[in-house]
Amino acid sequence: MTSTVVASCSRSCFINADPIVHVRRELPKSKRRIRLALETNELLSDPVDAIEVFYHIKNINDPEHPYSLEQLDIVSVENIRVHSEAQFIQVYFTPTVPHCSMATLIGLAIRRKLQESLAGRFKTEVLVFPGSHSSESAVNKQLNDKERVAAALENTNLLEKVNLCLRGNLVL
Amino acid sequence: RVWHCAWDPTGKTLATCSSDKTCRIWAKSAAAGNTWVTVAELEGVHSRTVRQAAWSPCGRLLATASFDASTAVWAQSGSGGTTGEWECVAVVEGHENEVKSCAWSPSGSLLATCGRDKSVWIWEVQPGHDFECVAVLNGHTQDVKQVAWHPAEDALVSVSYDDSIKVWTEDPGGDDWSCAQTLTKEEGGHASTVWCASFEPEPSRHVRGPGGTDSRRLATCSDDRTIAIWRVDDSRGLRLEIDAKFPCGHDRPALSVSWGKCGLIAEGGGDDSVRLFAPPRDAGRGGAGDEVNCVAWHPTDPRCLATASDDGTVRIWSV
C-alpha cells in the first residue's frame, strides 16, 4: 500500500466506525489481459495467478462501508495462494476488527464472486487471516461447509445482502 | 448439483436429489438400449434444494428431505413397478429450517429426520399415510448432517457439524427415546464435521463381539479427512467402540461413505474421486468429474456402485 487516509464516519452503529481506508491499486500494465477479461466477461485461457484472483474480488463492497475490500485492506494479493497443479485457491481475508460480525458475510461474498468468475474451474477455500478474528475457526468452518454455503445462498435475504456487496463499482 | 442418490430395495430404480428442487427416479430402459432413463420427476412440492431421499424397506414409499424445512413422502399409484405415477402423500413438518437427512427404520414403521436446527425427530407411520411425531431428540449442539438406522434394530445413529456421533435408542419402557452414547474425538472419533455414517450390511466374521459372536461395524467419514470404523455391540442396545481410523487418502472433506455387501467401503468427497477401501486398506480409485456428494452401493448386486456429483451427473460403476 502506498498511502493511507483515515475516513471519518458519523454513524456509531458501525461495528468498526472508523476503518482505515487505503488507495486503490493501479492495475499493472502486464496484467492488461485481466482487465480485458473482466470487461468482456470472458474466461482467461492462461493459468490463473494470485493477481487475477485479486482483481476478481478487490471491488467487492464492504457490507457496511462505501468502500471496497481492497480499500479496507481486507483482501490483498499477498494473502491469496493459488495451487494451480491442484486447481485449488485459498483466499485469506482480514476483517477490519477482530470481533467483526460481518466476517461470514464478507467471506460468503468472496465465495460467490469466485464461483461466478472462475466458473467452477477451481476449488476455493475462503479463510480469515490467521489471528485476525476472535472466532476464526468457527468462521472458517462455516465458510467451507459446502452444504451450509449452498443453503445460505438459497436464503433470499442473505443472497440480497451478498449481491449488494457484489454490485460494487467495477473500477480498475 | 446432485446431492444424493438412493437405490430402492430391489435395486431396479435409483432416486436422485438435486439443487433444482426435484427428485428424479431412474430405471434401466430396454427401449433406450439398456441405458438409464428418468421414469418419474418428483416436483412441485419442495421449494428449495432436495438434500436426501430414502426408500422405505418395502420400496413403496420414498421420503425426501429438503432445505425448505419439510420432508415429503411419495407413493406410487397402481401396482408399482417402474411405470406408475408418483404422488406426494404426506408432507412432514416440524423442523425450524433445513432438513438435511431422512431415514426409515428397518421395519418401516419409523421415519427419522434431522436438520440444521440441531434436532433429530422420530415419526411413527400411522395408517393412511399419517405421520405422528414420537420423539424430538435434542443433544447435538450444531447442525445434524445425517441419520442412519441400524440395519436390524430400532436404533439410530446421527452425525453432526458439532464433530460428534450420537446413538439413540428406545427406553426399555418403549415410550421414549434417549441418547445412549456420544462419540467425540476423545472416544477416538472425528476432529471436524462428521458428514455420513454407513453400517456394515452383515455382521463380520473377522470381528468378534462379546461372547465370541460375530460383530457388525459402522463407518463414518468427516471433514477431518479421515474415515473411522466402529465396532457395534448389538447386545447392549448398540454400543459403539472405535476399531480403526485412517486417512481418506486426499486433502479434501470426505462427504459420503457406503459399506457394500462385497465388504468394501466406498468413499466420495471433495477431491472428485471415489475411493474403495477394504478396511483399513486403500483398494483403488476412479475419476468422478467433480466433488462427490454421495456414494451408494447397489442393494443386491455387490459390484455395482452409484455416485452423485457437483457436475450434475450420477454415475453407475461396476467394481
Side-chain angles (χ1 to χ4, degrees), chain B residues 99-178:
Chain B
V99 185
K100 299 284 175 76
S101 171
C102 56
W104 299 87
S105 66
S107 66
S109 63
L110 299 170
L111 177 71
T113 59
C114 68
R116 189 161 75 91
D117 65 5
K118 306 166 190 174
S119 66
V120 176
W121 294 49
I122 296 177
W123 308 82
E124 197 168 56
V125 186
Q126 307 280 350
H129 299 308
D130 203 18
F131 289 79
E132 193 195 334
C133 176
V134 291
V136 178
L137 310 175
N138 294 300
H140 280 295
T141 58
Q142 292 286 347
D143 200 357
V144 188
K145 295 297 194 186
Q146 210 216 4
V147 280
W149 288 94
H150 185 283
E153 290 173 43
D154 282 351
L156 186 75
V157 164
S158 61
V159 298
S160 165
Y161 187 89
D162 70 11
D163 308 348
S164 77
I165 300 159
K166 280 183 185 284
V167 180
W168 308 89
T169 50
E170 203 170 12
D171 295 339
D175 254 359
D176 217 353
W177 288 77
S178 58

Side-chain angles (χ1 to χ4, degrees), chain A residues 105 108 112 149-164 167, chain B residues 21 47-48 67 98 116:
Chain A
L105 184 56
L108 210 52
R112 175 88 174 163
V149 169
L153 294 175
E154 278 186 8
N155 177 326
T156 338
N157 288 333
L158 202 53
L159 185 62
E160 217 161 88
K161 282 185 191 161
V162 168
N163 284 338
L164 270 179
R167 228 174 284 147
Chain B
K21 304 168 192 167
S47 59
R48 293 182 58 187
F67 284 179
E98 292 96 315
R116 189 161 75 91

Side-chain angles (χ1 to χ4, degrees), chain A residues 50-102:
Chain A
I51 297 177
E52 180 181 344
V53 175
F54 176 67
Y55 274 86
H56 283 305
I57 61 175
K58 76 186 198 83
N59 291 315
I60 297 173
N61 253 46
D62 183 82
E64 49 173 19
H65 294 289
Y67 299 113
S68 70
L69 298 188
E70 176 192 28
Q71 286 174 300
L72 297 177
D73 213 14
I74 292 171
V75 294
S76 67
V77 179
E78 294 74 28
N79 294 331
I80 296 170
R81 305 258 177 287
V82 177
H83 312 268
S84 13
E85 67 299 333
Q87 299 279 291
F88 179 50
I89 295 168
Q90 287 171 302
V91 175
Y92 289 92
F93 69 103
T94 312
T96 53
V97 281
H99 55 271
C100 182
S101 62
M102 296 288 166

Side-chain angles (χ1 to χ4, degrees), chain A residues 123 141 145-147 154, chain B residues 49 51 145 161 163 293:
Chain A
K123 295 188 184 306
K141 190 173 183 182
D145 179 315
K146 67 187 275 190
E147 188 182 60
E154 278 186 8
Chain B
T49 287
R51 178 63 183 89
K145 295 297 194 186
Y161 187 89
D163 308 348
N293 297 317

Side-chain angles (χ1 to χ4, degrees), chain B residues 216-237:
Chain B
R216 196 188 297 267
R217 289 172 291 179
L218 173 80
T220 54
C221 68
S222 162
D223 228 70
D224 72 3
R225 282 70 162 148
T226 67
I227 295 168
I229 309 290
W230 306 85
R231 249 190 328 273
V232 181
D233 184 350
D234 293 337
S235 64
R236 287 193 296 153

Side-chain angles (χ1 to χ4, degrees), chain B residues 279-312:
Chain B
R281 193 165 45 81
D282 194 346
R285 56 174 287 193
D290 207 336
E291 303 205 0
V292 181
N293 297 317
C294 179
V295 289
W297 286 102
H298 192 281
T300 54
D301 178 355
R303 293 282 163 196
C304 177
L305 179 76
T307 63
S309 165
D310 270 2
D311 67 1

Side-chain angles (χ1 to χ4, degrees), chain B residues 71-118:
Chain B
T71 305
V73 179
W74 308 77
Q76 202 173 15
S77 64
S79 55
T82 56
T83 48
E85 288 284 310
W86 284 86
E87 61 170 337
C88 177
V89 293
V91 177
V92 183
E93 285 174 313
H95 284 283
E96 275 171 43
N97 39 42
E98 292 96 315
V99 185
K100 299 284 175 76
S101 171
C102 56
W104 299 87
S105 66
S107 66
S109 63
L110 299 170
L111 177 71
T113 59
C114 68
R116 189 161 75 91
D117 65 5
K118 306 166 190 174

